[in-house]
Amino acid sequence: ELHYADRLNCASALLDEPIGRFGADRPCVRGGDTAWTYAQLRRHANQVSAVLTGELGLVPGNRVLLRGANSPWLAACWLGVLKAGGVAVTTMAMLRAAEIATIGALARPTIALCDARDVADLHAAAIRGLRIVPYGGDTAGDLTARCSARGDDGGAFTDVATAADDVALLAFTSGTTGRPKATMHFHRDVLAIADTFARHVVAHRPDDVVTGTPPLAFTYGLGGLLVFPLHAGASTVLLEHPSPDELADAIAAHGVTALYTSPTMYRALLAPGRPERLAGLRRCMSAGETLPAAVWTEFHERTGIRIIDGIGSTEMLHVFISAADDDIRPGATGRPVPGYHAAVVDDEGHPVPDGRPGHLVVQGPTGCRYLDGDRQENYVRDGWNVTGDTYLRDADGYFWYQARSDDMIISAGYNISGPEVEQALVGHPDVVDCAVVGLPDERRGMLVTAFVVLRAGAPSDENEIHVLQDHVKQTIAPYKYPRAVRFVDRLPRTSTGKLQRYRLRRQGIR
Ligand code: 3SK
């Protein structure tokens, strides 16, 4: 069992402990033209805390919205918010105004720290009472300038002595309905994911150089690319939306030893000319969607590396089932991470016999606490977190993924809500009705596919497909757009008008 002090600020621990063990001049974080040591990251985080609590008037418990691509400054902002006793609400730079507005309405942040390149949509979201401070730009009032104006004195901030179970962050997950859900995580939870998955499965070393693709706004990225490297005294390379070639180049150029990404990227890294650039890797982690055994095997044959697959969730903060090294069974997700318990149960919550599919439930040092209380009782039952995934456990205790129990589409590592894409599509005047489902796809795992009923007289040609795709990209985050669009005369519905998605999925597979 894990024990933490009653008073615990995880951001202080993540910086002070490695500095105490390995010294302050150790390389810590790189990104773009920036390369900071542990001392420099701590100084910038302290400057952010000082600006927040000084001129911006933050008091402990206030929520601070963070918006930007992965970068050293985003890391400094995240740590600075937590050191100041604030609650970090990290959002993806790709989100559009309407999506940010929804998050703003739920999280009610008082301050936003936003990459200067991404402020337009945040302003357009018009979140009531929100003070927006850009960083990394050149305007007066930019956070970066405010921090340098504080000089080294800003680096002497005294961290707020938060309680171990004070909320440190709100993480958003988009539900099947497209209505985002906010989950709350404590300071101790942030250390618990490092003391379980990172310590016992990944087994980071202080000389690791870590990189990867998930945004820090996704808890898979927050853990893998920031919390775990700091906890181990290692260093991290934060890349902004790298293409497969950019990722392979960065791995070679920075001597990266540990990679966090998704099956889609592992597949892409196998293309000619790329595996040679991966020679320095010793640990490769995969999550966000299931890793097909074929990808695991091909990656192993070409690079000698055994990918560590895992399932986690925003609700649980990070990975709770996984396996490494000789414990891996390709195609299986693994076994419960030390500290977690998992079971497969029927609709009534009773365990099903090994070898039979059922609902995956999990317990451990982290767990789901929805901000919006009425959802809690559906997710946590009898102390078990009901993940919404269908799994089976074999006689050796390995867990094998079967399907999502709901309508989420998991495409190239992104969780995309079909109903949310539908809402965006029906906002176009040519669309009378539509349904969006995920169809199996070799490259992306699932392909976001829209079945669209057009208004009479609207053209049903290639150009119209592009028009509708562009419309979705303008309305919601572009990665959610339907990559396949099929025009149909009507959608399959029950007599009460309920959409029968399973019929579309079947139709798509034919
Ligand atoms: O999708 C996952 O498996 C995952 C892993 C770690 C953290 C968060 C998530 C959703």
Side-chain angles (χ1 to χ4, degrees):
E1 243 188 59
L2 299 172
H3 291 287
Y4 297 107
D6 290 346
R7 291 275 151 201
L8 171 76
N9 186 311
C10 67
S12 321
L14 287 172
L15 288 164
D16 297 348
E17 282 178 15
I19 287 177
R21 268 192 298 157
F22 304 108
D25 294 332
R26 204 174 168 71
C28 181
V29 58
R30 284 167 187 269
D33 298 332
T34 304
W36 290 339
T37 62
Y38 271 83
Q40 287 168 315
L41 177 60
R42 183 166 66 178
R43 184 163 71 242
H44 290 306
N46 284 353
Q47 290 167 336
V48 171
S49 307
V51 171
L52 284 169
T53 53
E55 57 225 69
L56 300 179
L58 179 104
V59 294
N62 282 171
R63 294 160 189 171
V64 180
L65 189 141
L66 302 176
R67 172 173 164 81
N70 289 357
S71 72
W73 270 105
L74 180 60
C77 288
W78 187 85
L79 291 160
V81 169
L82 269 65
K83 277 168 158 275
V87 177
V89 186
T90 315
T91 61
M92 286 199 265
M94 285 182 277
L95 297 187
R96 301 270 182 215
E99 295 155 305
I100 308 167
T102 308
I103 288 176
L106 289 167
R108 287 172 282 115
T110 52
I111 299 166
L113 306 180
C114 178
D115 189 314
R117 296 166 297 176
D118 301 313
V119 287
D121 275 291
L122 182 55
H123 278 291
I127 299 170
R128 199 141 41 97
L130 183 71
R131 172 114 183 240
I132 299 173
V133 180
Y135 63 81
D138 51 13
T139 53
D142 190 275
L143 179 72
T144 325
R146 289 174 193 250
C147 286
S148 9
R150 289 190 165 255
D152 285 351
D153 280 354
F157 183 80
T158 305
D159 298 346
V160 171
T162 44
D165 54 4
D166 275 348
V167 176
L169 64 110
L170 297 185
F172 277 83
T173 168
S174 42
T176 42
T177 57
R179 213 177 109 216
K181 297 177 274 189
T183 60
M184 303 184 278
H185 296 286
F186 297 158
H187 281 260
R188 66 170 149 82
D189 297 335
V190 174
L191 297 188
I193 58 173
D195 282 324
T196 52
F197 175 61
R199 186 184 293 275
H200 295 293
V201 182
V202 182
H204 275 298
R205 295 199 307 226
D207 60 356
D208 269 336
V209 180
V210 181
T211 198
T213 54
L216 298 185
F218 179 23
T219 59
Y220 175 45
L222 178 72
L225 303 182
L226 185 62
V227 174
F228 301 166
L230 296 188
H231 191 257
S235 73
T236 184
V237 182
L238 295 174
L239 306 168
E240 287 188 10
H241 318 300
S243 67
D245 260 325
E246 288 164 345
L247 182 62
D249 279 346
I251 290 168
H254 297 289
V256 169
T257 60
L259 173 66
Y260 288 85
T261 188
S262 62
T264 305
M265 186 56 95
Y266 284 115
R267 214 177 278 125
L269 287 175
L270 288 170
R274 292 184 185 144
E276 304 82 277
R277 285 176 270 169
L278 312 181
L281 288 173
R282 70 171 197 93
R283 290 313 229 186
C284 284
M285 279 58 70
S286 178
E289 60 182 300
T290 49
L291 179 68
V295 177
W296 189 95
T297 304
E298 198 182 342
F299 200 83
H300 184 228
E301 281 168 4
R302 302 278 295 282
T303 65
I305 299 168
R306 297 164 170 267
I307 300 176
I308 299 174
D309 191 13
I311 177 177
S313 67
T314 306
E315 283 85 350
M316 298 299 293
L317 192 55
H318 219 273
V319 170
F320 48 82
I321 293 178
S322 184
D325 304 314
D326 291 343
D327 286 341
I328 295 172
R329 301 228 171 136
T333 310
R335 289 189 285 202
V337 167
Y340 288 87
H341 303 280
V344 178
V345 301
D346 62 20
D347 288 345
E348 278 71 52
H350 302 127
V352 301
D354 285 344
R356 295 246 201 98
H359 305 291
L360 177 69
V361 295
V362 60
Q363 275 179 347
T366 58
C368 174
R369 294 167 216 104
Y370 283 122
L371 180 64
D372 172 356
D374 66 335
R375 293 161 183 270
Q376 186 76 13
E377 62 191 19
N378 288 328
Y379 196 91
V380 183
R381 294 200 197 134
D382 300 327
W384 289 93
N385 294 265
V386 183
T387 63
D389 293 294
T390 303
Y391 260 80
L392 68 75
R393 187 177 64 180
D394 68 18
D396 298 328
Y398 279 79
F399 286 75
W400 298 76
Y401 175 78
Q402 309 296 299
R404 275 300 288 177
S405 310
D406 58 23
D407 286 321
M408 290 303 291
I409 304 166
I410 302 176
S411 182
Y414 288 108
N415 277 351
I416 298 166
S417 152
E420 187 186 11
V421 183
E422 287 163 16
Q423 274 172 33
L425 272 171
V426 293
H428 191 280
D430 284 354
V431 176
V432 171
D433 199 1
C434 72
V436 173
V437 296
L439 297 185
D441 178 66
E442 224 174 54
R443 221 165 61 78
R444 308 184 73 81
M446 289 228 171
L447 197 68
V448 179
T449 306
F451 291 82
V452 174
V453 181
L454 288 171
R455 73 169 165 81
S460 56
D461 53 16
E462 269 301 308
N463 186 53
E464 182 71 356
I465 291 179
H466 294 305
V467 168
L468 297 181
Q469 289 174 325
D470 285 345
H471 169 77
V472 174
K473 289 184 198 170
Q474 295 305 318
T475 314
I476 54 179
Y479 67 85
K480 298 176 185 171
Y481 85 92
R483 283 165 195 269
V485 177
R486 300 186 191 179
F487 297 119
V488 291
D489 291 334
R490 76 187 66 80
L491 295 173
R493 291 188 181 277
T494 62
S495 52
T496 54
K498 225 167 134 28
L499 193 60
Q500 295 171 304
R501 288 172 202 280
Y502 69 92
R503 291 180 57 190
L504 290 172
R505 288 194 196 103
R506 251 191 347 222
Q507 198 177 317
I509 293 166
R510 249 200 349 231

